Amino acid sequence: MKIQDSVLGEANARREADLRRDYESLGERLARRGIAIDAIKAKIAAFGIALPSWAAGTGGTRFARFPGAGEPRDVFDKIDDCGAVHRLTGLAPAISLHIPWDKADPAALLARAGEHGLIFDAVNSNTFQDHPDLPLSFKYGSLSHVDKAVRDQAVAHNLDCVELGRKIGSKALSIWIGDGSNFPGQADFTRQLDRYLESAHRIYAGLPEDWRLFVEHKMYEPAFYSTVVQDWGTSYLIAQELGAKAACLVDLGHHAPNVNIEMIVARLIRFGKLAGFHFNDSKYGDDDLDAGVIDPYRLFLVFNELVNAEGTPGFSPAYMLDESHNVTDPLESMMASAMEVARAHAQALLVDRAALRAHQESNDALMASETLKTAFRTDVEPILAMARLEKGAAIDPVAAFRALGYRAQAAAQRPKVSGAGGGIV
Ligand code: RM4
Ligand code: MN
Ligand code: MN
């Protein structure tokens, strides 16, 4: 499916005059606050986020999955879909693959991504399910399994991911494992972590010089009593023990309720161990809801820390989405989510940092909070939309996506897949 420039042009033409007025008026108001709107727009135009290939299809819960029409059938369809998201938002120039789900010929992957101007971000290994072509089961764990043969298989899979990643230009391996336990006493916490570390060291040793290893923590699920890499503390200790190429990946949904995630981000930045993000939102647990739909203020506060840290040597977090779209069109969700992340970034760029510092140093709690709120309350949509227009993307990506009839075209070209079964893909 190709996005027709003429239809996109028409959709934009209908909105352009209003947008220019809104942009000018916002520019005037920001100028009163000493902010140059074009400088903010330039930063947003340079901002990009990687899309998770696995989120292009409809997700599911452990109860059921309700696929929509025109679902991607393979990684090439997923790349096409991510290309459409990038074309319409101008915000998603990269795609993160999940192996073995996306295993394919590297040259063919590069060629298809190149057609859309996409590059490949971190490669994700998968040892939380069995692979049809691997002899041993990951039912009782992978990198921390009691059986060395299973650990060897898990290590080899991760190194295969690096091998594929090298061929497609990725520079990082993200490791999230389902290892843990479901019953008290089932696993010896310390021995299990020791086994994990020994395996992780072997993967680390196989990383190319210019690669990074992203350690992703998650409090629970699929293991419901304990998880080997359960929180940022363990993740940090692991990354620290492995070495300079290892750092911690923060998936927003992977924390206990009410945890202060922005503070975790600040701590990881302070110690040079923030790898990047899997953005999503949650109400209860690892809900994998669309970024910014539940708590946009929290997303803003995370970006507040990131903007605050700009200029720190070696600071270059990876920005990725990680969501499960169960009831929406996955592409509309990815567009909306990428825009929410960019919105939080733009709002954080508006924080009057000198004023904030002065309020902090004079212990003026109320005005410190108001300084953040002033930035957060600013409707930055004209900045985001103008950045999109100037890139040749859509002023209103979701409306354009619908006007283009992308999903109907996809449905015509891609036969419907079975609705049976649960699971995330
Ligand atoms: C996990 C975790 C990983 C993702 C899988 C699909 O909960 O967030 O990052 O790869 O889901
Ligand atoms: Mn994740
Ligand atoms: Mn998750």
Side-chain angles (χ1 to χ4, degrees), residues 216 218 251 254 286 288 322:
E216 180 175 0
K218 178 173 175 178
D251 181 312
H254 289 189
D286 188 26
D288 275 316
D322 180 6

Side-chain angles (χ1 to χ4, degrees), residues 14 28 51 57 66 102 122 139 149 161 172 175 179 201 213 226 237 284 288 298 327-328 376-377 382:
R14 279 196 299 280
E28 267 172 40
L51 300 176
F66 300 98
D102 299 326
K139 177 172 179 179
C161 290
I175 305 183
D179 298 32
H201 272 293
L213 194 152
S226 72
L237 292 168
Y284 302 105
D288 275 316
R298 179 170 63 188
V327 298
T328 53
F376 176 68
R377 283 193 296 252

Side-chain angles (χ1 to χ4, degrees), residues 233-250:
T234 299
S235 176
Y236 176 79
L237 292 168
I238 291 165
Q240 186 65 19
E241 176 158 326
L242 289 178
K245 290 185 214 164
C248 310
L249 179 69
V250 177

Side-chain angles (χ1 to χ4, degrees), residues 62-246:
R62 58 206 171 88
F63 301 103
R65 189 175 96 83
F66 300 98
E71 298 256 299
R73 297 157 300 179
D74 57 22
V75 62
F76 299 103
D77 285 349
K78 295 179 199 173
I79 293 173
D80 286 348
D81 284 354
C82 291
V85 170
H86 182 46
R87 178 77 181 81
L88 292 171
T89 62
L91 268 176
I95 174 166
S96 196
L97 297 188
H98 219 302
I99 309 299
W101 298 336
D102 299 326
K103 211 168 174 174
D105 170 43
L109 290 171
L110 277 174
R112 186 61 73 94
E115 285 175 25
H116 299 284
L118 298 176
I119 59 165
F120 292 100
D121 205 316
V123 190
N124 296 261
S125 60
N126 176 341
T127 57
F128 47 85
Q129 67 180 145
D130 286 341
H131 300 198
D133 59 339
L134 295 181
L136 303 172
S137 173
F138 293 128
K139 177 172 179 179
Y140 295 107
S142 58
L143 295 176
S144 75
H145 199 282
V146 288
D147 181 350
K148 181 167 185 307
V150 179
R151 298 200 298 277
D152 288 350
Q153 177 178 280
V155 168
H157 164 64
N158 275 277
L159 293 174
D160 284 349
C161 290
V162 172
E163 198 41 42
L164 173 73
R166 256 173 17 93
K167 294 183 180 146
I168 59 173
S170 291
K171 292 280 178 225
L173 172 71
S174 292
I175 305 183
W176 172 74
I177 54 163
D179 298 32
S181 71
N182 277 26
F183 292 83
Q186 180 189 339
D188 180 308
F189 293 150
T190 306
R191 285 163 173 273
Q192 198 179 34
L193 181 62
D194 282 343
R195 292 190 296 264
Y196 169 88
L197 282 166
E198 191 256 349
S199 301
H201 272 293
R202 288 160 65 197
I203 298 168
Y204 188 91
L207 282 182
E209 215 28 66
D210 57 346
W211 270 53
R212 293 195 294 158
L213 194 152
F214 296 169
V215 181
E216 180 175 0
H217 62 274
K218 178 173 175 178
M219 184 182 50
Y220 76 99
E221 194 205 16
F224 285 113
Y225 167 63
S226 72
T227 291
V228 176
V229 190
Q230 88 281 16
D231 63 11
W232 75 280
T234 299
S235 176
Y236 176 79
L237 292 168
I238 291 165
Q240 186 65 19
E241 176 158 326
L242 289 178
K245 290 185 214 164

Side-chain angles (χ1 to χ4, degrees), residues 2-60:
K2 279 270 167 251
I3 304 283
Q4 293 155 274
D5 289 344
S6 57
V7 184
L8 183 51
E10 281 161 32
N12 279 347
R14 279 196 299 280
R15 292 173 171 84
E16 187 172 336
D18 284 348
L19 171 60
R20 293 204 180 278
R21 271 195 298 276
D22 292 349
Y23 186 80
E24 200 180 317
S25 134
L26 177 60
E28 267 172 40
R29 278 175 287 139
L30 290 179
R32 266 178 252 144
R33 283 155 56 181
I35 299 168
I37 192 169
D38 286 340
I40 307 292
K41 185 188 61 185
K43 287 196 170 171
I44 293 303
F47 181 70
I49 185 163
L51 300 176
S53 67
W54 59 101
T58 301

Side-chain angles (χ1 to χ4, degrees), residues 286-371:
D286 188 26
D287 307 329
D288 275 316
L289 297 174
D290 294 11
V293 293
I294 303 293
D295 193 348
Y297 194 51
R298 179 170 63 188
L299 190 57
F300 162 80
L301 292 174
V302 166
F303 269 94
N304 179 48
E305 295 304 326
L306 296 171
V307 171
N308 197 31
E310 267 174 11
T312 306
F315 178 72
S316 71
Y319 299 116
M320 300 173 274
L321 291 181
D322 180 6
E323 301 176 341
S324 177
H325 310 118
N326 302 340
V327 298
T328 53
D329 185 304
L331 301 193
E332 295 188 2
S333 267
M334 286 206 277
M335 288 190 277
S337 304
M339 290 189 283
E340 280 311 294
V341 174
R343 186 184 322 282
H345 186 196
Q347 289 164 326
L349 289 167
L350 301 183
V351 171
D352 183 340
R353 295 203 176 265
L356 181 63
R357 172 73 72 92
H359 298 316
Q360 289 168 346
E361 289 180 359
S362 61
N363 295 309
D364 193 338
L366 187 110
M367 286 311 295
S369 169
E370 282 302 309
T371 302

